[in-house]
mmCIF file of all heavy atoms in Angstrom:
data_model
loop_
_atom_site.group_PDB
_atom_site.id
_atom_site.type_symbol
_atom_site.label_atom_id
_atom_site.label_comp_id
_atom_site.label_asym_id
_atom_site.label_seq_id
_atom_site.Cartn_x
_atom_site.Cartn_y
_atom_site.Cartn_z
ATOM 1 N N GLU A 1 2.482 28.652 32.481
ATOM 2 C CA GLU A 1 2.424 28.541 30.954
ATOM 3 C C GLU A 1 3.759 28.751 30.238
ATOM 4 O O GLU A 1 4.115 27.864 29.386
ATOM 5 C CB GLU A 1 1.412 29.634 30.340
ATOM 6 C CG GLU A 1 -0.036 29.447 30.789
ATOM 7 C CD GLU A 1 -0.871 30.458 30.253
ATOM 8 O OE1 GLU A 1 -0.563 31.009 29.269
ATOM 9 O OE2 GLU A 1 -1.956 30.791 30.923
ATOM 10 N N GLN A 2 4.509 29.652 30.756
ATOM 11 C CA GLN A 2 5.793 30.015 30.196
ATOM 12 C C GLN A 2 6.747 28.943 30.506
ATOM 13 O O GLN A 2 7.541 28.333 29.615
ATOM 14 C CB GLN A 2 6.344 31.227 30.722
ATOM 15 C CG GLN A 2 7.760 31.748 30.118
ATOM 16 C CD GLN A 2 8.290 32.980 30.747
ATOM 17 O OE1 GLN A 2 7.561 33.653 31.482
ATOM 18 N NE2 GLN A 2 9.349 33.508 30.198
ATOM 19 N N ALA A 3 6.771 28.197 31.765
ATOM 20 C CA ALA A 3 7.581 27.192 32.104
ATOM 21 C C ALA A 3 7.364 25.980 31.175
ATOM 22 O O ALA A 3 8.286 25.331 30.852
ATOM 23 C CB ALA A 3 7.467 26.771 33.514
ATOM 24 N N VAL A 4 6.122 25.511 31.031
ATOM 25 C CA VAL A 4 5.761 24.502 30.081
ATOM 26 C C VAL A 4 6.104 24.810 28.695
ATOM 27 O O VAL A 4 6.822 23.862 28.011
ATOM 28 C CB VAL A 4 4.219 24.236 30.237
ATOM 29 C CG1 VAL A 4 3.974 23.097 29.152
ATOM 30 C CG2 VAL A 4 3.966 23.808 31.533
ATOM 31 N N SER A 5 6.022 25.927 28.151
ATOM 32 C CA SER A 5 6.193 26.322 26.851
ATOM 33 C C SER A 5 7.831 26.272 26.645
ATOM 34 O O SER A 5 8.236 25.852 25.431
ATOM 35 C CB SER A 5 5.684 27.525 26.439
ATOM 36 O OG SER A 5 6.370 28.667 27.204
ATOM 37 N N GLU A 6 8.598 26.485 27.597
ATOM 38 C CA GLU A 6 9.993 26.534 27.548
ATOM 39 C C GLU A 6 10.756 25.249 27.790
ATOM 40 O O GLU A 6 11.965 25.097 27.745
ATOM 41 C CB GLU A 6 10.600 27.677 28.304
ATOM 42 C CG GLU A 6 10.225 29.018 27.844
ATOM 43 C CD GLU A 6 10.773 30.230 28.799
ATOM 44 O OE1 GLU A 6 11.485 29.825 29.847
ATOM 45 O OE2 GLU A 6 10.589 31.317 28.322
ATOM 46 N N ALA A 7 9.975 24.281 28.204
ATOM 47 C CA ALA A 7 10.416 22.940 28.544
ATOM 48 C C ALA A 7 11.140 22.352 27.426
ATOM 49 O O ALA A 7 10.755 22.396 26.266
ATOM 50 C CB ALA A 7 9.450 22.110 29.157
ATOM 51 N N SER A 8 12.145 21.472 27.702
ATOM 52 C CA SER A 8 12.869 20.796 26.697
ATOM 53 C C SER A 8 11.950 19.774 25.983
ATOM 54 O O SER A 8 10.989 19.299 26.705
ATOM 55 C CB SER A 8 14.202 20.127 27.191
ATOM 56 O OG SER A 8 13.744 19.112 28.102
ATOM 57 N N PRO A 9 12.173 19.307 24.764
ATOM 58 C CA PRO A 9 11.283 18.289 24.130
ATOM 59 C C PRO A 9 11.299 16.992 25.021
ATOM 60 O O PRO A 9 10.149 16.481 25.110
ATOM 61 C CB PRO A 9 12.050 18.063 22.905
ATOM 62 C CG PRO A 9 12.761 19.424 22.599
ATOM 63 C CD PRO A 9 13.194 19.798 23.759
ATOM 64 N N ILE A 10 12.378 16.642 25.559
ATOM 65 C CA ILE A 10 12.321 15.354 26.344
ATOM 66 C C ILE A 10 11.518 15.587 27.544
ATOM 67 O O ILE A 10 10.706 14.656 28.036
ATOM 68 C CB ILE A 10 13.796 14.877 26.688
ATOM 69 C CG1 ILE A 10 14.564 14.503 25.472
ATOM 70 C CG2 ILE A 10 13.736 13.799 27.791
ATOM 71 C CD1 ILE A 10 16.062 14.122 25.757
ATOM 72 N N LYS A 11 11.566 16.704 28.291
ATOM 73 C CA LYS A 11 10.929 16.988 29.534
ATOM 74 C C LYS A 11 9.433 17.069 29.170
ATOM 75 O O LYS A 11 8.580 16.534 29.869
ATOM 76 C CB LYS A 11 11.329 18.211 30.096
ATOM 77 C CG LYS A 11 10.709 18.529 31.502
ATOM 78 C CD LYS A 11 11.206 19.738 32.149
ATOM 79 C CE LYS A 11 10.431 20.089 33.376
ATOM 80 N NZ LYS A 11 11.011 21.274 34.020
ATOM 81 N N MET A 12 9.136 17.700 28.040
ATOM 82 C CA MET A 12 7.652 17.722 27.595
ATOM 83 C C MET A 12 7.070 16.416 27.361
ATOM 84 O O MET A 12 5.924 16.198 27.653
ATOM 85 C CB MET A 12 7.623 18.648 26.257
ATOM 86 C CG MET A 12 6.119 18.773 25.741
ATOM 87 S SD MET A 12 4.970 19.575 26.994
ATOM 88 C CE MET A 12 5.695 21.238 26.893
ATOM 89 N N ILE A 13 7.915 15.503 26.670
ATOM 90 C CA ILE A 13 7.449 14.119 26.422
ATOM 91 C C ILE A 13 7.147 13.446 27.779
ATOM 92 O O ILE A 13 6.181 12.787 27.942
ATOM 93 C CB ILE A 13 8.452 13.331 25.619
ATOM 94 C CG1 ILE A 13 8.441 13.859 24.141
ATOM 95 C CG2 ILE A 13 8.189 11.841 25.609
ATOM 96 C CD1 ILE A 13 9.652 13.237 23.309
ATOM 97 N N LEU A 14 8.030 13.610 28.684
ATOM 98 C CA LEU A 14 7.797 12.927 29.986
ATOM 99 C C LEU A 14 6.572 13.453 30.754
ATOM 100 O O LEU A 14 5.832 12.746 31.404
ATOM 101 C CB LEU A 14 9.102 13.125 30.934
ATOM 102 C CG LEU A 14 10.328 12.417 30.423
ATOM 103 C CD1 LEU A 14 11.517 12.792 31.311
ATOM 104 C CD2 LEU A 14 10.130 10.903 30.400
ATOM 105 N N VAL A 15 6.408 14.860 30.750
ATOM 106 C CA VAL A 15 5.206 15.465 31.301
ATOM 107 C C VAL A 15 3.918 14.974 30.656
ATOM 108 O O VAL A 15 2.975 14.530 31.301
ATOM 109 C CB VAL A 15 5.323 16.938 31.286
ATOM 110 C CG1 VAL A 15 3.945 17.637 31.694
ATOM 111 C CG2 VAL A 15 6.492 17.474 32.091
ATOM 112 N N LYS A 16 3.935 14.930 29.342
ATOM 113 C CA LYS A 16 2.745 14.445 28.557
ATOM 114 C C LYS A 16 2.475 13.057 28.865
ATOM 115 O O LYS A 16 1.226 12.656 29.160
ATOM 116 C CB LYS A 16 2.935 14.753 27.134
ATOM 117 C CG LYS A 16 2.856 16.193 26.666
ATOM 118 C CD LYS A 16 2.682 16.229 25.046
ATOM 119 C CE LYS A 16 2.579 17.575 24.596
ATOM 120 N NZ LYS A 16 2.534 17.796 23.154
ATOM 121 N N SER A 17 3.408 12.239 29.002
ATOM 122 C CA SER A 17 3.323 10.744 29.259
ATOM 123 C C SER A 17 2.713 10.536 30.671
ATOM 124 O O SER A 17 1.754 9.608 30.851
ATOM 125 C CB SER A 17 4.700 10.025 29.098
ATOM 126 O OG SER A 17 5.233 10.157 27.799
ATOM 127 N N LEU A 18 3.243 11.353 31.565
ATOM 128 C CA LEU A 18 2.711 11.227 32.979
ATOM 129 C C LEU A 18 1.227 11.661 33.117
ATOM 130 O O LEU A 18 0.352 11.034 33.698
ATOM 131 C CB LEU A 18 3.471 12.177 33.903
ATOM 132 C CG LEU A 18 3.187 12.181 35.306
ATOM 133 C CD1 LEU A 18 3.075 10.821 36.111
ATOM 134 C CD2 LEU A 18 3.852 13.247 36.227
ATOM 135 N N VAL A 19 0.843 12.749 32.322
ATOM 136 C CA VAL A 19 -0.472 13.117 32.358
ATOM 137 C C VAL A 19 -1.438 12.127 31.783
ATOM 138 O O VAL A 19 -2.596 11.887 32.186
ATOM 139 C CB VAL A 19 -0.685 14.606 31.687
ATOM 140 C CG1 VAL A 19 -2.163 14.945 31.534
ATOM 141 C CG2 VAL A 19 0.085 15.600 32.432
ATOM 142 N N VAL A 20 -0.983 11.576 30.568
ATOM 143 C CA VAL A 20 -1.691 10.453 29.851
ATOM 144 C C VAL A 20 -1.904 9.366 30.845
ATOM 145 O O VAL A 20 -3.025 8.880 30.942
ATOM 146 C CB VAL A 20 -0.960 9.963 28.622
ATOM 147 C CG1 VAL A 20 -1.587 8.612 28.226
ATOM 148 C CG2 VAL A 20 -1.004 11.024 27.496
ATOM 149 N N PHE A 21 -0.934 8.871 31.672
ATOM 150 C CA PHE A 21 -1.081 7.893 32.621
ATOM 151 C C PHE A 21 -1.993 8.113 33.633
ATOM 152 O O PHE A 21 -2.926 7.316 33.963
ATOM 153 C CB PHE A 21 0.265 7.542 33.133
ATOM 154 C CG PHE A 21 0.134 6.498 34.237
ATOM 155 C CD1 PHE A 21 0.315 5.119 33.946
ATOM 156 C CD2 PHE A 21 0.240 6.880 35.666
ATOM 157 C CE1 PHE A 21 0.123 4.158 34.924
ATOM 158 C CE2 PHE A 21 0.132 5.852 36.653
ATOM 159 C CZ PHE A 21 0.043 4.443 36.237
ATOM 160 N N ILE A 22 -1.899 9.369 34.171
ATOM 161 C CA ILE A 22 -2.855 9.820 35.241
ATOM 162 C C ILE A 22 -4.306 9.903 34.698
ATOM 163 O O ILE A 22 -5.239 9.357 35.384
ATOM 164 C CB ILE A 22 -2.420 11.080 35.917
ATOM 165 C CG1 ILE A 22 -0.983 11.189 36.581
ATOM 166 C CG2 ILE A 22 -3.532 11.824 36.668
ATOM 167 C CD1 ILE A 22 -0.486 12.458 37.012
ATOM 168 N N GLY A 23 -4.432 10.400 33.489
ATOM 169 C CA GLY A 23 -5.844 10.538 32.834
ATOM 170 C C GLY A 23 -6.475 9.138 32.799
ATOM 171 O O GLY A 23 -7.586 8.900 32.939
ATOM 172 N N LEU A 24 -5.531 8.121 32.203
ATOM 173 C CA LEU A 24 -6.169 6.814 31.940
ATOM 174 C C LEU A 24 -6.473 6.163 33.109
ATOM 175 O O LEU A 24 -7.339 5.303 33.338
ATOM 176 C CB LEU A 24 -5.227 6.077 31.020
ATOM 177 C CG LEU A 24 -5.153 6.636 29.623
ATOM 178 C CD1 LEU A 24 -4.155 5.678 28.755
ATOM 179 C CD2 LEU A 24 -6.413 6.585 28.925
ATOM 180 N N LEU A 25 -5.551 6.272 34.218
ATOM 181 C CA LEU A 25 -5.860 5.665 35.515
ATOM 182 C C LEU A 25 -7.112 6.124 36.174
ATOM 183 O O LEU A 25 -7.929 5.423 36.765
ATOM 184 C CB LEU A 25 -4.689 5.916 36.449
ATOM 185 C CG LEU A 25 -4.799 5.390 37.842
ATOM 186 C CD1 LEU A 25 -4.933 3.944 37.799
ATOM 187 C CD2 LEU A 25 -3.600 5.834 38.660
ATOM 188 N N ALA A 26 -7.418 7.586 35.984
ATOM 189 C CA ALA A 26 -8.564 8.201 36.508
ATOM 190 C C ALA A 26 -9.742 7.565 35.820
ATOM 191 O O ALA A 26 -10.856 7.251 36.346
ATOM 192 C CB ALA A 26 -8.588 9.652 36.476
ATOM 193 N N THR A 27 -9.620 7.481 34.448
ATOM 194 C CA THR A 27 -10.726 6.932 33.655
ATOM 195 C C THR A 27 -11.007 5.431 34.048
ATOM 196 O O THR A 27 -12.196 5.034 34.057
ATOM 197 C CB THR A 27 -10.427 6.969 32.145
ATOM 198 O OG1 THR A 27 -9.971 8.376 31.841
ATOM 199 C CG2 THR A 27 -11.614 6.584 31.260
ATOM 200 N N GLY A 28 -9.937 4.663 34.238
ATOM 201 C CA GLY A 28 -10.157 3.397 34.662
ATOM 202 C C GLY A 28 -10.790 3.195 36.017
ATOM 203 O O GLY A 28 -11.693 2.302 36.158
ATOM 204 N N ILE A 29 -10.389 4.062 36.923
ATOM 205 C CA ILE A 29 -11.185 4.052 38.272
ATOM 206 C C ILE A 29 -12.573 4.430 38.200
ATOM 207 O O ILE A 29 -13.503 3.867 38.664
ATOM 208 C CB ILE A 29 -10.373 5.044 39.301
ATOM 209 C CG1 ILE A 29 -9.003 4.537 39.487
ATOM 210 C CG2 ILE A 29 -11.295 5.207 40.567
ATOM 211 C CD1 ILE A 29 -8.237 5.498 40.387
ATOM 212 N N GLY A 30 -12.920 5.372 37.337
ATOM 213 C CA GLY A 30 -14.306 5.846 36.942
ATOM 214 C C GLY A 30 -15.027 4.759 36.425
ATOM 215 O O GLY A 30 -16.265 4.529 36.710
ATOM 216 N N THR A 31 -14.544 4.150 35.391
ATOM 217 C CA THR A 31 -15.112 3.034 34.829
ATOM 218 C C THR A 31 -15.442 2.009 35.789
ATOM 219 O O THR A 31 -16.568 1.227 35.715
ATOM 220 C CB THR A 31 -14.241 2.622 33.669
ATOM 221 O OG1 THR A 31 -13.915 3.634 32.702
ATOM 222 C CG2 THR A 31 -15.035 1.347 32.964
ATOM 223 N N SER A 32 -14.438 1.608 36.623
ATOM 224 C CA SER A 32 -14.634 0.539 37.656
ATOM 225 C C SER A 32 -15.749 0.829 38.645
ATOM 226 O O SER A 32 -16.510 0.008 38.948
ATOM 227 C CB SER A 32 -13.374 0.394 38.470
ATOM 228 O OG SER A 32 -12.264 0.025 37.734
ATOM 229 N N ILE A 33 -15.982 2.115 38.999
ATOM 230 C CA ILE A 33 -17.059 2.541 39.899
ATOM 231 C C ILE A 33 -18.360 2.348 39.210
ATOM 232 O O ILE A 33 -19.331 1.728 39.780
ATOM 233 C CB ILE A 33 -16.826 4.054 40.173
ATOM 234 C CG1 ILE A 33 -15.663 4.257 41.097
ATOM 235 C CG2 ILE A 33 -18.110 4.602 40.955
ATOM 236 C CD1 ILE A 33 -15.351 5.727 41.401
ATOM 237 N N MET A 34 -18.419 2.650 37.849
ATOM 238 C CA MET A 34 -19.621 2.593 37.062
ATOM 239 C C MET A 34 -20.195 1.091 36.884
ATOM 240 O O MET A 34 -21.218 0.677 37.112
ATOM 241 C CB MET A 34 -19.585 3.239 35.736
ATOM 242 C CG MET A 34 -19.429 4.764 35.775
ATOM 243 S SD MET A 34 -19.391 5.397 34.088
ATOM 244 C CE MET A 34 -21.189 5.304 33.681
ATOM 245 N N PHE A 35 -19.054 0.239 36.766
ATOM 246 C CA PHE A 35 -19.355 -1.144 36.600
ATOM 247 C C PHE A 35 -19.813 -1.756 37.993
ATOM 248 O O PHE A 35 -20.832 -2.411 38.068
ATOM 249 C CB PHE A 35 -17.991 -2.022 36.297
ATOM 250 C CG PHE A 35 -17.660 -1.880 34.889
ATOM 251 C CD1 PHE A 35 -16.336 -1.926 34.422
ATOM 252 C CD2 PHE A 35 -18.642 -1.710 33.724
ATOM 253 C CE1 PHE A 35 -16.064 -1.922 33.012
ATOM 254 C CE2 PHE A 35 -18.376 -1.678 32.470
ATOM 255 C CZ PHE A 35 -17.041 -1.684 31.921
ATOM 256 N N GLN A 36 -19.210 -1.303 39.074
ATOM 257 C CA GLN A 36 -19.593 -1.782 40.421
ATOM 258 C C GLN A 36 -20.945 -1.373 40.774
ATOM 259 O O GLN A 36 -21.796 -2.067 41.285
ATOM 260 C CB GLN A 36 -18.592 -1.389 41.477
ATOM 261 C CG GLN A 36 -17.228 -1.973 41.356
ATOM 262 C CD GLN A 36 -17.240 -3.398 41.620
ATOM 263 O OE1 GLN A 36 -18.096 -3.787 42.543
ATOM 264 N NE2 GLN A 36 -16.403 -4.105 40.968
ATOM 265 N N VAL A 37 -21.391 -0.092 40.359
ATOM 266 C CA VAL A 37 -22.675 0.551 40.709
ATOM 267 C C VAL A 37 -23.724 -0.288 39.916
ATOM 268 O O VAL A 37 -24.838 -0.521 40.538
ATOM 269 C CB VAL A 37 -22.685 2.023 40.404
ATOM 270 C CG1 VAL A 37 -24.117 2.510 40.427
ATOM 271 C CG2 VAL A 37 -21.811 2.761 41.480
ATOM 272 N N GLY A 38 -23.472 -0.631 38.785
ATOM 273 C CA GLY A 38 -24.397 -1.513 37.859
ATOM 274 C C GLY A 38 -25.613 -0.797 37.433
ATOM 275 O O GLY A 38 -26.762 -1.219 37.309
ATOM 276 N N MET A 39 -25.344 0.552 37.049
ATOM 277 C CA MET A 39 -26.476 1.461 36.515
ATOM 278 C C MET A 39 -26.268 1.727 34.960
ATOM 279 O O MET A 39 -26.734 2.870 34.557
ATOM 280 C CB MET A 39 -26.709 2.600 37.362
ATOM 281 C CG MET A 39 -27.165 2.299 38.733
ATOM 282 S SD MET A 39 -27.432 3.736 39.840
ATOM 283 C CE MET A 39 -28.977 4.275 39.059
ATOM 284 N N GLY A 40 -25.391 1.075 34.334
ATOM 285 C CA GLY A 40 -25.056 1.349 33.082
ATOM 286 C C GLY A 40 -23.697 1.874 32.887
ATOM 287 O O GLY A 40 -23.117 2.580 33.747
ATOM 288 N N SER A 41 -22.971 1.458 31.842
ATOM 289 C CA SER A 41 -21.559 1.894 31.531
ATOM 290 C C SER A 41 -21.594 3.179 30.720
ATOM 291 O O SER A 41 -22.541 3.582 30.083
ATOM 292 C CB SER A 41 -20.822 0.825 30.872
ATOM 293 O OG SER A 41 -21.356 0.477 29.707
ATOM 294 N N ALA A 42 -20.352 3.659 30.640
ATOM 295 C CA ALA A 42 -20.165 4.820 29.642
ATOM 296 C C ALA A 42 -20.294 4.392 28.232
ATOM 297 O O ALA A 42 -20.313 3.203 27.976
ATOM 298 C CB ALA A 42 -18.778 5.439 29.844
ATOM 299 N N PRO A 43 -20.595 5.284 27.197
ATOM 300 C CA PRO A 43 -20.831 4.927 25.855
ATOM 301 C C PRO A 43 -19.777 4.099 25.239
ATOM 302 O O PRO A 43 -20.222 3.055 24.610
ATOM 303 C CB PRO A 43 -20.955 6.285 25.143
ATOM 304 C CG PRO A 43 -21.578 7.229 26.151
ATOM 305 C CD PRO A 43 -20.871 6.711 27.427
#
């Protein structure tokens, strides 16, 4: 927690951007699985 809180603004932006990308990629994979299964999509 301390390491993240003390990170420079640029480093924090890069970290947040990476997490956003990972999160959206995971969401995309999960959505693809649901589409392939064919039992209804997310809301």
Side-chain angles (χ1 to χ4, degrees):
E1 294 177 27
Q2 184 177 2
V4 172
S5 64
E6 293 179 352
S8 67
I10 294 178
K11 183 176 180 180
M12 180 61 73
I13 289 174
L14 292 175
V15 170
K16 287 187 173 185
S17 299
L18 178 61
V19 176
V20 167
F21 176 82
I22 293 173
L24 290 181
L25 178 59
T27 306
I29 292 173
T31 300
S32 299
I33 293 174
M34 294 185 71
F35 281 151
Q36 292 293 323
V37 170
M39 299 181 71
S41 60

